[in-house]
Amino acid sequence: MSDLPEGALRLGPLLRYVDHNSATIWVETAETATVRVEAGGTTATARTFGAHGHHYALVEVTGLPSGTPTPYRVFVDDEVVWPSGDPDLADFPPSVIPTLQPGKPLRLAFGSCRVSMPHDEETNARYGIDALRAYALHMAGLVGDQPDRWPDFVVFLGDQVYADDTSPRMKEYIASRRAPSEPPWDELKDYQEYAHLYRLAWSDPANRWLLSTLPSAMIFDDHDVRDDWNTSWTWRQEMEATDWWHERIVAGLGSYWVYQHIGNLSADDRAEDELWRRIADHGGDDELDVTDALDELADRADQEPTSYRWSFSRDFGEQARLIVVDSRAARVLEPDRRSMLDDEEMAWLDERMRGDVDHLLVGTSLPLLMAPGLHHLEAFGEALAQGAWGRLGSKLGEVMRQHADLEHWAAFQGGFVQVAQMVVDVASGRRGRAPRSITFMSGDVHHSYVAKAWPDPALATSFETVVVQATCSPIRNPLPQVMKAVFKLAAKGQARPTGRLLGGKVPRSPLRWRMQRGPWYDNNLAVLELQQDRLHFWWSGGQAQGDLDRPRLERVATVDVSLPPG
C-alpha cells in the first residue's frame, strides 16, 4: 500500500474554512487543471495556481444548506478524483461538508504535535498509536460506536509536520536528491522537500478521509520550521550565519502559506490578502505561477514580521469568538526588548480580546499558562539571559534557554503580562459584556492538562468569568520518560507573583493559576463543547487491542468546568 496518492489528485481534498452556508476545499493536483466541486445541487470551480512546479486549487463552495452534512465530489478536468478509487478508502463513508447551524452549541477538537510515521507494531511501540487516525476510524463508524455528533471543526495548534526530525521515509526522499551528509543533513532544505513532507503527513487513508470531512484550522509551531524557532536573538543570529537557513525559512513559510494558511481564512479575509487577490483575479486559461511572489512574501515575512499576519480570528455569532495567535513568527527578539508578539500583532490581538460574546476562545501553540514550576523557571531564565544578574549569568541563561526549551510565553514576560492583563480586563467587563468563559487552547509541551486562573489579589478586582488553559499534546509524539517526572513535579502548587519571588527582576503577573487536572502524557486529541452550564472537555486516544490496523478510540480524561449563570 502506498500512502502517496498518484493520478490527477496528488493530495487532498482538505475541507478547510466552513460556515453556515459556504465551505473552502483545498487540493493539490498532478498537473495544471480546472477543479470542480459538486455538493448537492451546488457546483463551484477554480483554476489551479502553480508554485515551485506544484499545482494547487482552493475551491469556494457557496449556497449550501445550513446545519447539514452535504456529500460532495471533486473533479479534475471532468475526471472524478474524489471519492477515490483507492481500495484502502473503500470502507469509509462519503465525504461531506458539515455546515454550521447558528445557535447550536459549538463543539471543536484541538491538539498538536503529530509525527508522520507508519502504523506498524514496531513504530507504534516507539511513537504510540496515532490519536488522529484512531479518531478518524471512530468518526467513520469503522471501530466502536459511531459518535452521536462530530466536532464542528478541528484546530491544529502546531507541529503539523516535523521539518527537523524527519521520518525514515522522508530521509529516503532526501537521500534520493542530495547528500544527507551535508547541511542541512536529514532536515528539510527546500520547497520540494516540504511538499513531500506534507504528502507523507496527510496521505494515510484514514487521516485523508478525516481531513476531507472535518473542517480544519491550523497554526504553525517551531517544528514546522525548526526546533526552538525564534527562541532568542542569539538563536536567530546563529541560524542566519549558516548557508542553508535562508532557503529553509523561505520554503517553510512559503509552503505553510499554501498548505495551511490560506485555508484558515474566510473568503472576505482571503480577499484582503495581496497574493491571494493576484490568484483570484488571474484571468485566462493559463495557470498563474506564484513561485517568485510566494518566495518574496515568505522572505519578507521572516525579515519584517510586521509585513504579514499569520494570526486569524472568526466569530460564531454571540456564542463565541475564536482567535488563533501566531506565537512564533511575530516575536520581538531585540537584545534589549523581547516580546512574544510585536507591537502590530499585539494591537491586533488587543482589538479582538473583547467581550460581548459568551465564550472567548484563544488558540496559541504555546500555552499561556504553564505548570507553575515551569512558568517560574522560564521567567527566571529570561531575566538571567537578559543580564539581570550580570554578564556571566547572561551567558548561562542563554545556554539554559536554548538547551532546555525555555521559550514559552513565560520566557517573554513583557508580552505575557500584556496578554494576562487583557484577560483580566475582558473578564472584569472593561471591554464590553464580560464573557462566561475565556479558554486558551494550546499544545507544544507533549503533555496535557487543564489549569484554572483568577486575578492577582493585588489588583483589587474580581470577576465571574471562568479563565481556563486547556492543553492537548501530543497527537502522536510521546514525551521521553525522564521528562514526565519533571512535569509532574512542576505542576504542583500555584503560580505566584514572580516579581516578588525574583526580587522585582520579573514583572508581576496579573493572573494566578493552579493545575486543575493533569498532567497526562497520552497521544490524544481533545474536544471542547460549549454547554449551557459548563465547559465540557474530553481527551481521547487510540488503543490497538490486538488490531493495529483498526485501533479503538478510548477516552483518556474528562474535565468539566462549571460556568456562571448565563
Side-chain angles (χ1 to χ4, degrees):
M1 177 188 73
S2 172
D3 57 4
L4 296 180
E6 299 298 340
L9 188 64
R10 296 195 70 187
L11 188 59
L14 271 69
L15 182 59
R16 302 303 313 278
Y17 184 96
V18 171
D19 58 24
H20 68 282
N21 64 6
S22 69
T24 300
I25 294 174
W26 178 100
V27 298
E28 180 181 354
T29 63
E31 303 289 345
T32 300
T34 297
V35 179
R36 183 170 85 252
V37 174
E38 294 182 355
T42 299
T43 299
T45 63
R47 188 68 175 165
T48 56
F49 64 92
H52 290 275
H54 294 260
H55 313 276
Y56 309 97
L58 204 66
V59 184
E60 300 173 355
V61 186
T62 60
L64 297 166
S66 175
T68 303
T70 303
Y72 72 94
R73 297 191 298 168
V74 179
F75 298 77
V76 173
D77 286 340
D78 297 323
E79 176 188 349
V80 178
V81 296
W82 194 264
S84 169
D86 185 346
D88 292 311
L89 285 161
D91 293 339
F92 287 85
S95 297
V96 299
I97 301 173
T99 51
L100 297 175
Q101 179 178 326
K104 185 176 70 174
L106 198 64
R107 176 185 285 188
L108 65 152
F110 64 96
S112 80
C113 308
R114 177 178 172 269
V115 293
S116 307
M117 296 288 181
H119 306 287
D120 55 69
E121 185 173 2
E122 180 181 356
T123 309
N124 282 351
R126 179 177 179 184
Y127 293 100
I129 292 172
D130 183 356
L132 189 67
R133 185 169 181 271
Y135 205 92
L137 294 168
H138 184 67
M139 276 184 54
L142 301 181
V143 176
D145 297 328
Q146 192 166 12
D148 57 345
R149 186 182 140 211
W150 295 349
D152 295 305
F153 61 98
V154 58
V155 184
F156 292 114
L157 292 164
D159 298 344
Q160 279 71 259
V161 292
Y162 278 70
D164 54 349
D165 185 11
T166 51
S167 68
R169 289 173 297 175
M170 190 66 219
K171 289 181 173 67
E172 290 176 4
Y173 179 75
I174 290 171
S176 73
R177 56 192 309 270
R178 60 179 175 85
S181 58
E182 299 178 1
W185 308 282
D186 54 13
E187 298 184 24
L188 267 61
K189 181 178 187 292
D190 57 21
Y191 191 97
Q192 298 301 332
E193 293 177 6
Y194 263 102
H196 192 79
L197 182 63
Y198 277 109
R199 294 182 74 198
L200 287 171
W202 293 345
S203 293
D204 171 83
N207 287 328
R208 191 181 180 199
W209 173 83
L210 180 140
L211 293 171
S212 76
T213 206
L214 179 60
S216 58
M218 308 176 184
I219 192 69
F220 46 49
D221 198 28
D222 56 342
H223 290 285
D224 292 86
V225 175
R226 197 171 200 258
D227 188 26
D228 298 339
W229 175 28
N230 282 346
T231 290
S232 66
W233 176 267
T234 300
W235 184 95
R236 188 175 177 93
Q237 297 307 301
E238 290 173 352
M239 289 297 102
E240 291 185 342
T242 70
D243 60 4
W244 54 268
W245 173 250
H246 179 262
E247 186 175 20
R248 166 74 156 275
I249 188 64
V250 169
L253 290 177
S255 61
Y256 175 79
W257 188 91
V258 172
Y259 285 84
Q260 298 193 51
H261 178 66
I262 54 173
N264 291 327
L265 308 179
S266 69
D268 289 342
D269 288 337
R270 263 196 307 278
E272 297 180 3
D273 187 290
E274 181 179 350
L275 180 53
W276 179 255
R277 285 201 306 271
R278 290 182 58 181
I279 295 170
D281 294 343
H282 179 69
D285 295 330
D286 61 318
E287 179 184 82
L288 178 66
D289 190 301
V290 300
T291 299
D292 291 342
L294 182 66
D295 289 352
E296 289 171 8
L297 180 153
D299 187 23
R300 188 169 59 252
D302 175 55
Q303 294 297 316
E304 303 172 23
T306 58
S307 69
Y308 196 84
R309 173 161 295 117
W310 303 107
S311 303
F312 55 96
S313 70
R314 61 181 297 187
D315 284 1
F316 300 88
E318 293 187 3
Q319 181 182 186
R321 176 178 305 123
L322 171 66
I323 309 168
V324 181
V325 181
D326 160 23
S327 55
R328 283 288 173 185
R331 295 180 176 188
V332 177
L333 300 173
E334 298 168 9
D336 58 347
R337 178 172 176 258
R338 283 168 52 86
S339 178
M340 187 68 82
L341 306 178
D342 59 43
D343 291 343
E344 288 81 357
E345 197 75 9
M346 192 68 77
W348 177 90
L349 177 61
D350 187 74
E351 289 177 1
R352 285 152 184 78
M353 288 291 285
R354 294 288 186 270
D356 297 324
V357 291
D358 291 336
H359 303 280
L360 191 58
L361 308 171
V362 184
T364 168
S365 63
L366 305 172
L368 183 77
L369 308 178
M370 296 184 69
L374 294 178
H375 178 88
H376 295 318
L377 176 62
E378 296 208 13
F380 166 72
E382 181 188 38
L384 185 65
Q386 296 304 108
W389 285 276
R391 182 176 298 179
L392 182 60
S394 177
K395 292 181 179 179
L396 175 61
E398 184 62 37
V399 171
M400 288 174 53
R401 182 153 62 190
Q402 292 197 36
H403 290 274
D405 287 347
L406 305 183
E407 41 90 34
H408 297 82
W409 281 91
F412 290 81
Q413 278 290 306
F416 169 80
V417 170
Q418 282 183 271
V419 175
Q421 187 62 55
M422 292 179 197
V423 172
V424 172
D425 291 345
V426 173
S428 301
R430 298 171 190 157
R431 298 177 173 221
R433 173 176 59 85
R436 301 179 71 200
S437 72
I438 302 173
T439 302
F440 285 84
M441 302 178 298
S442 305
D444 177 74
V445 291
H446 296 263
H447 62 281
S448 301
Y449 62 89
V450 175
K452 194 171 181 181
W454 61 95
D456 178 4
L459 296 177
T461 188
S462 62
F463 50 70
E464 292 187 357
T465 298
V466 170
V467 178
V468 171
Q469 170 73 64
T471 301
C472 179
S473 172
I475 295 174
R476 193 188 193 196
N477 195 7
L479 191 71
Q481 192 68 32
V482 67
M483 294 301 297
K484 294 181 180 180
V486 174
F487 289 137
K488 186 175 182 179
L489 179 63
K492 296 183 180 297
Q494 67 173 263
R496 299 182 181 279
T498 50
R500 184 180 67 189
L501 293 175
L502 297 178
K505 298 182 186 297
V506 173
R508 186 179 181 112
S509 169
L511 290 172
R512 294 192 188 184
W513 63 94
R514 183 188 297 273
M515 303 286 277
Q516 185 173 4
R517 285 285 304 277
W520 55 91
Y521 309 99
D522 310 74
N523 288 347
N524 50 197
L525 189 69
V527 180
L528 164 62
E529 185 171 78
L530 303 177
Q531 298 188 357
Q532 179 60 33
D533 61 343
R534 58 183 174 162
L535 302 175
H536 183 48
F537 296 95
W538 66 95
W539 284 253
S540 301
Q543 296 294 328
Q545 295 182 339
D547 188 350
L548 289 176
D549 194 51
R550 294 288 174 94
R552 297 180 63 86
L553 189 71
E554 294 191 358
R555 191 161 296 194
V556 173
T558 302
V559 180
D560 287 315
V561 181
S562 298
L563 293 172

